């Protein structure tokens, strides 16, 4: 392994929230009209197209689509990251980790969680179809 430290951590994020974020990314996200009549179909078609790329090539062009477990496990399946923090609970997880190692860092978040919107669209993970979830 390239890391010789026993105290590594990484942050992982809910894969559905990551895909919504990717969809809205101004650099790699959806590039079509914001005035589509069927917003949920547009989202699901775009996500399914991206997932086919991941299945064929292993990842997206950018790093948003990399499989998160590749950061946690090596090629032999051995866990190389000891502490996995969850983006959805980052403030609590990070602060507990800092306390464990008696480090003087604290994370405070003032970010308000809300549905991700794109122009006049508001989409949530509830907008993913069954075929997208099982893709």
């Amino acid at each position: 392994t390239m890391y010789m430290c026993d105290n590594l951590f990484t942050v992982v994020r809910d894969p559905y929230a990551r895909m919504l974020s990717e969809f809205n990314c101004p650099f790699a996200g959806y590039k079509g009209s914001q005035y589509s009549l069927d917003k949920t179909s547009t989202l699901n078609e775009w996500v399914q197209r991206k997932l086919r790329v991941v299945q064929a090539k292993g990842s997206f062009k950018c790093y948003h689509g990399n499989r998160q477990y590749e950061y946690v496990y090596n090629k032999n399946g051995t866990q190389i990251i000891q502490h996995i923090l969850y983006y959805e609970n980052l403030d609590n997880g990070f602060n507990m980790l800092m306390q464990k190692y008696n480090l003087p860092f604290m994370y405070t978040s003032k970010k308000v969680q809300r549905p991700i919107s794109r122009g006049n669209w508001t989409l949530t993970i509830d907008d993913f179809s069954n075929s997208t979830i099982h893709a």
Side-chain angles (χ1 to χ4, degrees):
T1 180
M2 63 187 272
Y3 301 107
M4 303 309 283
C5 179
D6 289 332
N7 300 319
L8 296 173
F9 76 91
T10 191
V11 178
V12 297
R13 187 174 184 190
D14 178 274
Y16 300 110
R18 285 178 69 207
M19 289 306 295
L20 279 174
S21 180
E22 177 75 5
F23 179 80
N24 287 295
C25 176
F27 307 106
Y30 174 68
K31 301 289 190 228
S33 171
Q34 294 184 24
Y35 303 103
S36 171
L37 295 176
D38 191 348
K39 296 161 184 60
T40 56
S41 289
T42 301
L43 169 68
N44 283 287
E45 289 167 9
W46 184 89
V47 169
Q48 289 177 31
R49 191 169 47 252
K50 287 288 189 173
L51 291 174
R52 285 191 296 272
V53 170
V54 170
Q55 290 167 348
K57 296 183 179 182
S59 69
F60 297 150
K61 278 183 170 178
C62 60
Y63 295 106
H64 292 139
N66 287 1
R67 297 173 178 119
Q68 293 180 2
Y69 67 83
E70 292 175 351
Y71 296 102
V72 177
Y73 297 91
N74 67 16
K75 292 179 182 180
N76 298 325
T78 302
Q79 185 170 338
I80 57 173
I81 304 292
Q82 294 74 29
H83 305 285
I84 302 170
L85 307 180
Y86 297 91
Y87 179 83
E88 295 77 15
N89 190 29
L90 186 56
D91 51 353
N92 186 47
F94 183 82
N95 293 338
M96 288 176 58
L97 183 61
M98 296 301 105
Q99 287 175 351
K100 178 176 181 169
Y101 291 101
N102 295 315
L103 296 172
F105 306 105
M106 295 296 284
Y107 179 84
T108 56
S109 172
K110 296 186 188 225
K111 184 177 178 183
V112 176
Q113 294 293 331
R114 58 185 165 78
I116 297 170
S117 64
R118 179 179 182 83
N120 62 345
W121 299 15
T122 300
L123 299 165
T124 70
I125 60 174
D126 294 331
D127 293 309
F128 287 121
S129 67
N130 284 335
S131 57
T132 298
I133 291 169
H134 293 91

